[in-house]
Amino acid sequence: MNSHLSFEEGWKVLEQGILKCSKILECTSIRPTVNEYMNYYDCAYKMAVQKQHYCQEMYNGFRMTLAECVRTMVLPHLMHKQNDSFFRELVKMWSNYCIMIRCVTGFFNYLDRCFVEQYKLPSLSDAAATAFFGPVFSYFNDEARTALLTLIQRERDGSMMDSSLHDVMHGICCSEVKSIMQNAFLDETYGYYSMRSSEWIRHYSLPDYLAKVEESMETETKRLAYYLEISSGDSYPLCLQAVNAPLMETYVNYVTEQQISGQLMLETYKTVEEELLGRCRSLTLG
């Protein structure tokens, strides 16, 4: 190599390495050889440390090349699929993609450790997550949200927790589409408990209904923290809006319609509310 490596010359080598690793998405056993791997690493390192470096250009190229791989090699597998079939294919492609990324980020290890950290940019693994879930949600927003939220609703209704759901949600939480999924999660949760409130208010006494509010707040605070990877302290106020609000709206409307003593309603509510607040504030993600 010349003393100075131009971006065009160096990126041609690195792009070749990324595309070779992308064969993993097709479930092939093709991998760079040891010599090829070291050549890709040396190329990225030289482009990062030479006087006229190309760190930002490599970072941008890394993201754009991965996103193009996803568009051409992942999205076709998701077409014409919905619900469980969509989710199963998404899990398979995300799993293969994670293997690919572990290989690719090795080329850019120096870039990740120095340039990315220095400029407080998303890590290469987080940028790779955005390169995957950005196109997925751009092209299959409804299918992706429906498939994921359906599994979460099944879990609420008693189905076993699916570990692969958390794997996908972890990737989403590392990407720039986390806010999209969080809003969808909260909207779906609000709708779920609005529906449940109408059933519960007819089947439970008022103290038992408020006990269900308490139980739901505790469960959903943990669920939100687990799937969206936020602290219980952050998830609690979100659950007040998505869980407590629809349940208590139904409660207040019911006691108003039934002309139940305001004093009795207040005493019942305050007793359960104090226990609810105490429990939820002491939640941990153990």
Side-chain angles (χ1 to χ4, degrees), residues 43-89:
C43 180
Y45 178 80
K46 181 176 180 62
M47 291 174 71
V49 300
Q50 63 188 7
K51 185 174 182 180
Q52 183 182 349
H53 66 77
Y54 300 108
C55 292
Q56 186 66 58
E57 291 85 348
M58 281 194 290
Y59 185 80
N60 294 341
F62 173 86
R63 295 189 305 168
M64 290 187 293
T65 303
L66 290 180
E68 184 59 27
C69 287
V70 171
R71 282 189 287 269
T72 58
M73 303 177 73
V74 173
L75 300 189
H77 290 270
L78 299 175
M79 291 183 66
H80 311 303
K81 291 181 172 63
Q82 293 181 333
N83 301 323
D84 289 346
S85 62
F86 183 93
F87 177 71
R88 287 194 298 271
E89 194 63 33

Side-chain angles (χ1 to χ4, degrees), residues 29-263:
S29 58
I30 296 176
R31 302 285 193 281
T33 65
V34 173
N35 286 339
E36 287 174 333
Y37 193 93
M38 291 307 300
N39 184 47
Y40 301 144
Y41 178 89
D42 290 343
C43 180
Y45 178 80
K46 181 176 180 62
M47 291 174 71
V49 300
Q50 63 188 7
K51 185 174 182 180
Q52 183 182 349
H53 66 77
Y54 300 108
C55 292
Q56 186 66 58
E57 291 85 348
M58 281 194 290
Y59 185 80
N60 294 341
F62 173 86
R63 295 189 305 168
M64 290 187 293
T65 303
L66 290 180
E68 184 59 27
C69 287
V70 171
R71 282 189 287 269
T72 58
M73 303 177 73
V74 173
L75 300 189
H77 290 270
L78 299 175
M79 291 183 66
H80 311 303
K81 291 181 172 63
Q82 293 181 333
N83 301 323
D84 289 346
S85 62
F86 183 93
F87 177 71
R88 287 194 298 271
E89 194 63 33
L90 180 64
V91 169
K92 184 180 79 172
M93 299 308 298
W94 172 243
S95 177
N96 291 344
Y97 184 77
C98 287
I99 297 171
M100 169 192 166
I101 293 307
R102 284 197 292 271
C103 183
V104 171
T105 52
F107 310 162
F108 300 95
N109 181 265
Y110 183 83
L111 184 73
D112 208 20
R113 287 188 297 106
C114 298
F115 175 76
V116 171
E117 286 191 10
Q118 180 182 354
Y119 290 94
K120 309 300 181 186
L121 298 171
S123 68
L124 292 184
S125 60
D126 288 355
T130 296
F132 183 92
F133 287 106
V136 167
F137 274 77
S138 177
Y139 286 88
F140 300 105
N141 182 53
D142 291 342
E143 293 88 341
R145 292 194 304 174
T146 298
L148 297 172
L149 294 174
T150 296
L151 287 172
I152 291 171
Q153 181 167 323
R154 288 177 188 169
E155 184 184 308
R156 287 193 182 106
D157 290 333
S159 296
M160 291 290 291
M161 181 183 294
D162 190 329
S163 60
S164 58
L165 173 60
H166 183 257
D167 292 340
V168 172
M169 289 298 294
H170 172 70
I172 291 173
C173 289
C174 292
S175 76
E176 293 175 4
V177 304
K178 178 180 179 178
S179 60
I180 296 174
M181 194 62 212
Q182 178 172 305
N183 291 336
F185 194 118
L186 294 173
D187 288 344
E188 191 275 337
T189 301
Y190 187 98
Y192 178 86
Y193 282 102
S194 293
M195 178 184 66
R196 282 287 178 260
S197 67
S198 299
E199 301 172 6
W200 293 349
I201 202 69
R202 295 194 303 268
H203 291 94
Y204 294 105
S205 66
L206 293 184
D208 287 345
Y209 180 90
L210 290 174
K212 292 291 289 183
V213 176
E214 174 189 351
E215 176 187 343
S216 300
M217 277 292 295
E218 184 172 346
T219 301
E220 291 298 333
T221 298
K222 290 180 178 179
R223 180 175 287 118
L224 193 64
Y226 178 70
Y227 282 120
L228 294 180
E229 300 186 0
I230 57 179
S231 70
S232 56
D234 289 335
S235 64
Y236 175 75
L238 295 176
C239 282
L240 282 176
Q241 301 172 34
V243 180
N244 192 69
L247 291 174
M248 292 312 301
E249 180 180 3
T250 298
Y251 174 81
V252 171
N253 289 341
Y254 177 80
V255 297
T256 301
E257 291 170 1
Q258 299 298 315
Q259 296 182 334
I260 296 173
S261 164
Q263 184 60 33

